[in-house]
């Protein structure tokens, strides 16, 4: 049996853990990071082509013998069903290799998945007007002109049990501007590393009779729809609201939706989208 091994921080871990950490450091070099010795938390930066991913794992004392590592996966390009598909692959890998070191297998399966996604993208280049996830990334008419990116405002952070939530808002008048804002946000490394970047928008530019609206959960089930519902009951238009969440390892249950909603209301209010008239209209709808 593998005995416990101590380190300079006083943390006791199994010999298997120590061997795995040493191997990961040797294999991934500067892409392997020690986030916290006290909690045995480590991360790996994964790059494949133009895509990047960030895998963070926390190793419980009884890993790998009886418990799996707790993982957090951040990848801005990974949305909805595709995210769930990859998480399913990682869970299957653990079940197939229970009791064994798993992080290397996870990293390489993520890299393989990134290659598969890129291949699918190439195969679908002739169908750019159709998206797999009904997001705002659907194709716009080729005649639409793209101007400067709208200004993006970020609100105050709400923290609860090591999770952090921050809202972002931009006035938008087209799907192209929605894409511009999202791309600009993802250029920020902190935002790109968020566990979830859920959003909702409503569009009805002047002179356009039809309303366009959509939302994205980004792995936080039902969060995008709740954001869109808030925009609907407040009857705000031509606005995109994004809420970034950095998961802290503790499940918040329904409280997470309260924080997401409060974040969105906070930035809508601070940017002047909520007026006394707006609140009166909301109260009438509740009666």
């Amino acid at each position: 049996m593998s005995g416990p091994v101590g380190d300079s921080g006083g943390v006791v871990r199994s010999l298997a853990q120590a061997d795995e950490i040493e191997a990961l450091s040797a294999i991934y070099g500067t892409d392997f990071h020690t986030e916290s010795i006290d909690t045995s938390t480590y991360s790996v930066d994964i790059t494949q082509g133009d895509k990047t991913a960030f895998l963070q794992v926390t190793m419980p004392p009884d890993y790998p013998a009886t418990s799996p590592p707790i993982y957090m996966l951040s990848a801005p390009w990974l949305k909805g069903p595709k995210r769930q598909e990859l998480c399913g692959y990682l869970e299957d890998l653990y079940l197939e290799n229970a009791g064994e070191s798993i992080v290397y297998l996870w990293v390489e399966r993520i890299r393989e998945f990134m290659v598969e996604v890129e291949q699918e993208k190439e195969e679908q280049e002739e169908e750019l007007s159709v998206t797999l996830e009904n997001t705002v990334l659907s194709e716009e008419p080729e005649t639409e002109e793209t101007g400067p990116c709208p200004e993006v405002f970020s609100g105050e952070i709400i923290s609860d049990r090591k999770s952090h939530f921050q809202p972002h808002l931009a006035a938008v008048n087209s799907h192209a501007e929605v894409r511009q804002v999202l791309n600009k946000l993802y250029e920020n490394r902190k935002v790109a590393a968020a566990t979830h970047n859920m959003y909702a928008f409503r569009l009805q530019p002047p002179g356009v009779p039809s309303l366009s609206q959509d939302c994205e959960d980004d792995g936080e089930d039902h969060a995008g729809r709740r954001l869109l519902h808030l925009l609907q009951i407040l009857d705000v238009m031509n606005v995109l609201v994004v809420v970034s969440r950095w998961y802290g390892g503790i499940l918040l249950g329904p409280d997470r939706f309260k924080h997401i909603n409060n974040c969105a209301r906070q930035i809508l209010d601070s940017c002047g989208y909520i007026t006394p008239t707006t609140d009166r209209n909301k109260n009438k709808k509740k009666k």
Side-chain angles (χ1 to χ4, degrees):
M1 288 182 63
S2 298
V5 175
D7 59 24
S8 58
V11 178
V12 176
R13 58 179 175 235
S14 70
L15 181 60
Q17 269 191 40
D19 288 345
E20 182 177 16
I21 292 164
E22 183 178 355
L24 291 171
S25 179
I27 293 168
Y28 297 113
T30 57
D31 289 332
F32 178 78
H33 310 283
T34 299
E35 302 291 343
S36 171
I37 293 178
D38 291 339
T39 60
S40 295
T41 300
Y42 308 90
S43 64
V44 181
D45 296 321
I46 309 167
T47 302
Q48 182 64 44
D50 61 350
K51 289 183 171 58
T52 60
F54 173 84
L55 177 68
Q56 178 176 294
V57 295
T58 298
M59 300 178 178
D62 53 354
Y63 164 79
T66 57
S67 293
I70 301 167
Y71 75 89
M72 181 188 75
L73 176 64
S74 178
W77 50 271
L78 191 60
K79 306 291 181 183
K82 279 294 180 185
R83 185 183 187 90
Q84 299 305 317
E85 181 182 350
L86 177 55
C87 290
Y89 289 147
L90 299 185
E91 290 164 11
D92 288 344
L93 264 179
Y94 172 74
L95 293 175
E96 293 167 4
N97 297 273
E100 302 294 331
S101 299
I102 195 66
V103 178
Y104 172 79
L105 295 178
W106 275 357
V107 171
E108 294 311 307
R109 185 62 185 93
I110 293 169
R111 194 187 308 279
E112 181 182 337
F113 191 81
M114 293 163 80
V115 173
E116 293 169 0
V117 168
E118 188 60 31
Q119 289 174 343
E120 286 182 11
K121 179 181 176 183
E122 292 173 0
E123 292 170 0
Q124 295 166 357
E125 282 183 348
E126 295 180 358
E127 301 175 358
L128 290 178
S129 60
V130 179
T131 65
L132 294 176
E133 303 168 28
N134 296 320
T135 67
V136 297
L137 300 179
S138 58
E139 197 59 10
E140 289 290 312
E142 293 183 1
T143 56
E144 183 176 30
E145 296 182 0
T146 303
C149 181
E151 185 173 4
V152 181
F153 300 91
S154 295
E156 296 180 3
I157 294 174
I158 294 177
S159 299
D160 181 10
R161 286 164 282 180
K162 298 184 180 180
S163 279
H164 307 285
F165 303 79
Q166 184 177 33
H168 317 279
L169 178 149
V172 291
N173 288 287
S174 68
H175 289 267
E177 289 188 345
V178 170
R179 288 197 299 272
Q180 280 183 290
V181 171
L182 292 175
N183 289 336
K184 182 176 181 180
L185 277 172
Y186 290 144
E187 289 174 2
N188 183 301
R189 292 191 64 181
K190 180 181 176 184
V191 173
T195 314
H196 310 288
N197 283 300
M198 65 249 19
Y199 62 81
F201 69 88
R202 301 183 83 207
L203 297 174
Q204 191 170 21
V208 177
S210 60
L211 166 67
S212 177
Q213 56 186 14
D214 206 346
C215 59
E216 167 61 41
D217 294 338
D218 193 22
E220 185 73 278
D221 290 346
H222 311 301
R225 187 169 61 188
R226 288 170 182 255
L227 278 176
L228 180 58
H229 180 63
L230 176 65
L231 300 184
Q232 290 169 337
I233 62 176
L234 292 175
D235 196 27
V236 295
M237 207 67 65
N238 298 328
V239 66
L240 165 69
V241 174
V242 181
V243 176
S244 301
R245 179 191 181 185
W246 294 268
Y247 178 59
I250 301 174
L251 297 175
L252 302 186
D255 284 348
R256 67 190 189 278
F257 296 120
K258 177 184 71 176
H259 298 321
I260 292 167
N261 184 78
N262 287 341
C263 269
R265 282 190 62 89
Q266 170 215 110
I267 199 161
L268 284 165
D269 188 23
S270 64
C271 291
Y273 285 86
I274 299 179
T275 64
T277 302
T278 305
D279 278 336
R280 282 199 299 271
N281 290 340
K282 176 185 173 184
N283 292 332
K284 286 179 182 178
K285 291 177 183 179
K286 284 185 175 180
K287 292 181 181 178

